[in-house]
């Protein structure tokens, strides 16, 4: 399926296209039509599956239809409640991105900072409010937040809210919203308390479940090299020549870094090209074609640029830099070893990235093989024993749940659309 197949307004299609998304992720494919229909939804999915866009995009589509270019005072029509400031900021940014060609406005509020700027924006009126529970209730009590006109409520990361003791706050928040709202609840796991919450506040919800993003990692052979930061380029060259690697996708955190890797490899006569946001669409396409045709053996990409690349099942993916968001690691290595094909994901971890590696290990819960026998190890300290310790518990119980949609589709209530 393509994004174009989802009947979304042109302004949203344009923003999504600019992000480099071509295909909806499984949760998006399933959830977007449900949200567009106005039905309540329980989504069992974790961060990294594309769930933010799964609710943000259809909400923007519907609000854009309703609010259009109206000059009337803005009212809060969508509320997204999420447990942490970081998640709130990310969600707010997602809304800004996908709504940038509409005139919808968004505000993100969270505690631990002065409320003044938040209150000023609320006074001007916003269409979408993203909030952590404490600050939301606080500002509501002070009379700055009116949820009477709400169309859609999203409870994001519901199991985390439970863990963090926010469940009573969530219940209070739901009671402040109109009864005819649409409610979307997302949770990585579905403990009884979350099911009860869903029963209490959702009406005849559809259910969508997608595989945890971490399960992708189980299909790929992964290796890690603990390497001195300044020696990464040498190690890359060493691996490419020693093992005669070709058709390699290398991830760099920055555009500048990607260009430098290309320069270093070319100096050693390896055909490499970079693909990143500073290059024109035409230039990117040329590079990509050359890589697909195997004229270029090594492609260096940033995460953003790689999203738009319609290639997978590559034999090798190399994380030249480790991503600071663990889910990004899973997305990257998902480029290899798909559909039962063997693939190898290699990661370079310098000392300053050790924390990132630990976070990745925590997420994937896979015992990644450390390759200690190489010419550029850390000069001092041995990360190996601790960093590669396997984690034996698996949040998903090691089971892979296939994407499935509830067949509970008898009612398709349209309420506010
Ligand atoms: P989330 O699960 O919402 O945290 O999203 C994880 C990452 O996937 C974010 O970096 C999104 O920008 C990215 N993403 C979301 N939807 C898509 C898509 N359809 N294609 C490519 N990347 C996506």
């Amino acid at each position: 399926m393509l994004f174009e197949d989802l009947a979304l307004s042109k302004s949203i299609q344009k923003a999504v296209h600019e992000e480099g998304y071509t295909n909806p992720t499984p949760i998006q494919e399933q959830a977007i039509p449900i949200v567009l229909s106005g039905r309540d939804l329980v989504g069992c999915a974790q961060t990294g599956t594309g769930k933010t866009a799964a609710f943000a995009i259809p909400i923007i589509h519907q609000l854009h239809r309703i609010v259009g270019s109206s000059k009337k005072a803005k009212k809060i029509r969508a509320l997204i409640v999420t447990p942490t400031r970081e998640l709130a900021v990310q969600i707010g940014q997602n809304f800004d991105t996908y709504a940038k060609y509409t005139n919808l406005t968004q505000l993100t509020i969270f505690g631990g900072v002065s409320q003044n700027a938040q209150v000023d924006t609320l006074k001007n009126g916003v269409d979408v409010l993203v909030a952590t529970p404490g600050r939301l209730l606080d500002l509501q009590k002070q009379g700055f937040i009116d949820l009477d006109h709400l169309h859609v409520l999203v409870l994001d990361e519901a199991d985390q809210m439970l863990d963090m003791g926010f469940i009573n706050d969530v219940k209070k928040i739901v009671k402040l919203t109109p009864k005819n709202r649409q409610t979307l609840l997302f949770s990585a796991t579905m403990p009884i308390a979350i099911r009860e919450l869903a029963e209490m506040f959702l009406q005849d919800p559809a259910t969508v479940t997608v595989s945890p993003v971490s399960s992708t990692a189980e299909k790929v052979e992964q290796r890690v090299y603990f390497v001195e930061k300044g020696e990464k380029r040498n190690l890359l060259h060493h691996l490419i020549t020693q093992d005669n690697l070709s058709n390699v996708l290398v991830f760099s955190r920055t555009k500048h870094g990607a260009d430098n890797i290309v320069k270093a490899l070319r100096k050693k006569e390896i055909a490499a090209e970079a693909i990143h946001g500073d290059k024109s669409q035409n230039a990117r396409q040329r590079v990509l074609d050359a890589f697909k045709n195997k004229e270029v053996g090594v492609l260096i990409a940033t995460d953003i640029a790689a999203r738009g690349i319609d290639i997978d099942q590559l034999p090798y993916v190399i994380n030249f830099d480790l991503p600071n968001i663990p889910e990004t690691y899973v997305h990257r290595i998902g480029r290899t070893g798909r559909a039962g094909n063997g693939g190898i994901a290699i990661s370079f971890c310098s000392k300053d990235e050790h924390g990132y590696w630990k976070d990745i290990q925590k997420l994937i819960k896979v015992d990644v093989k450390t390759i200690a026998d190489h010419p550029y190890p850390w000069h001092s300290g041995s990360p190996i024993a601790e960093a590669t310790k396997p984690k034996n518990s698996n949040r998903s119980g090691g089971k892979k749940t296939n994407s499935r949609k509830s067949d509970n589709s008898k009612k398709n209530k349209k309420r506010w659309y």
Side-chain angles (χ1 to χ4, degrees):
M1 185 190 249
L2 297 170
F3 264 103
E4 290 141 36
D5 301 327
L6 293 162
L8 296 167
S9 76
K10 287 218 169 71
S11 33
I12 298 170
Q13 295 277 14
K14 188 173 172 199
V16 165
H17 180 73
E18 278 182 16
E19 276 303 282
Y21 303 175
T22 40
N23 308 93
T25 64
I27 183 95
Q28 292 163 3
E29 199 174 317
Q30 296 175 63
I32 291 175
I34 296 169
V35 181
L36 287 175
S37 78
R39 191 166 172 200
D40 284 359
L41 174 75
V42 173
C44 189
Q46 39 176 242
T47 300
T49 54
K51 78 173 156 66
T52 314
F55 62 79
I57 287 174
I59 288 176
I60 294 166
H61 174 89
Q62 297 293 35
L63 294 188
H64 180 53
R65 274 184 41 205
I66 292 166
V67 177
S69 52
S70 162
K71 297 270 182 289
K72 281 191 199 153
K74 289 188 174 293
K75 302 201 160 68
I76 300 169
R77 295 178 198 267
L79 170 65
I80 295 88
V81 185
T82 193
T84 68
R85 169 193 179 138
E86 289 72 23
L87 284 165
V89 170
Q90 269 178 41
I91 295 168
Q93 286 168 347
N94 272 256
F95 269 93
D96 286 340
T97 302
Y98 309 134
K100 70 176 166 196
Y101 297 114
T102 71
N103 67 349
L104 297 175
T105 56
Q106 175 274 138
L107 171 68
T108 302
I109 59 171
F110 43 78
V113 293
S114 158
Q115 69 171 46
N116 296 344
Q118 299 176 358
V119 168
D120 287 346
T121 312
L122 283 167
K123 282 182 183 161
N124 287 333
V126 291
D127 299 297
V128 178
L129 183 65
V130 182
T132 52
R135 178 58 59 100
L136 175 67
L137 285 174
D138 188 6
L139 293 186
Q140 191 276 335
K141 231 185 263 166
Q142 295 179 52
F144 296 119
I145 290 177
D146 172 8
L147 298 175
D148 286 352
H149 304 274
L150 198 76
H151 295 306
V152 55
L153 170 68
V154 182
L155 302 174
D156 187 37
E157 304 277 346
D159 53 353
Q160 258 203 68
M161 293 213 256
L162 183 79
D163 286 349
M164 292 170 74
F166 283 139
I167 223 70
N168 285 330
D169 282 353
V170 170
K171 288 179 181 169
K172 279 187 209 156
I173 292 165
V174 178
K175 289 194 175 127
L176 297 170
T177 64
K179 284 216 162 50
N180 66 346
R181 65 174 192 270
Q182 181 181 22
T183 312
L184 316 174
L185 180 146
F186 290 88
S187 193
T189 56
M190 284 290 158
I192 287 173
I194 300 295
R195 282 172 220 266
E196 282 174 1
L197 196 72
E199 253 167 53
M200 215 184 303
F201 296 123
L202 276 69
Q203 289 176 43
D204 181 35
T207 305
V208 168
T209 304
V210 295
S211 304
V213 69
S214 57
S215 66
T216 322
E218 292 158 18
K219 300 170 203 153
V220 179
E221 183 183 333
Q222 299 167 65
R223 301 173 187 166
V224 60
Y225 289 74
F226 294 99
V227 51
E228 276 297 317
K229 196 179 183 68
E231 302 283 9
K232 283 187 174 185
R233 284 182 227 162
N234 287 331
L235 179 60
L236 181 63
H237 176 255
H238 171 76
L239 295 182
I240 291 172
T241 47
Q242 174 191 266
D243 297 338
N244 202 14
L245 306 187
S246 69
N247 221 215
V248 188
L249 179 62
V250 178
F251 281 96
S252 158
R253 197 175 311 136
T254 64
K255 302 173 204 171
H256 184 63
D259 287 335
N260 284 341
I261 299 168
V262 169
K263 271 187 218 151
L265 289 177
R266 283 193 188 158
K267 253 191 205 161
K268 298 189 174 180
E269 296 183 347
I270 289 176
E273 290 281 359
I275 189 163
H276 55 61
D278 281 355
K279 306 215 166 195
S280 71
Q281 189 60 38
N282 284 346
R284 288 201 222 181
Q285 197 53 50
R286 268 199 306 276
V287 167
L288 199 55
D289 290 344
F291 183 62
K292 282 184 184 167
N293 300 335
K294 310 219 165 54
E295 291 153 30
V296 167
V298 187
L299 181 66
I300 327 293
T302 55
D303 288 300
I304 303 269
R307 276 187 213 154
I309 301 178
D310 63 340
I311 40 169
D312 51 23
Q313 304 191 9
L314 288 166
Y316 305 100
V317 165
I318 299 185
N319 293 307
F320 188 91
D321 299 308
L322 287 182
N324 55 350
I325 300 170
E327 285 82 6
T328 304
Y329 172 87
V330 182
H331 285 296
R332 288 181 179 184
I333 73 167
R335 295 280 180 177
T336 180
R338 286 194 182 165
N341 287 329
I344 296 174
I346 294 168
S347 295
F348 294 175
C349 177
S350 54
K351 274 185 207 143
D352 59 325
E353 294 172 315
H354 199 194
Y356 297 159
W357 183 245
K358 286 184 182 166
D359 289 345
I360 290 166
Q361 291 262 279
K362 246 188 248 163
L363 175 75
I364 62 173
K365 300 181 179 84
V366 168
D367 184 11
V368 175
K369 187 170 166 191
T370 301
I371 310 293
D373 183 19
H374 68 87
Y376 310 105
W378 289 6
H379 290 331
S380 58
S382 167
I384 292 166
E386 192 207 352
T388 60
K389 212 187 282 174
K391 306 276 184 296
N392 48 15
S393 72
N394 185 336
R395 199 176 181 180
S396 65
K399 279 185 213 132
K400 290 183 202 97
T401 42
N402 286 328
S403 301
R404 72 181 166 80
K405 202 190 287 188
S406 154
D407 59 359
N408 185 10
S409 55
K410 50 188 186 300
K411 281 181 216 156
N412 198 356
K413 256 186 268 160
K414 287 207 175 172
R415 281 168 301 197
W416 57 276
Y417 301 131

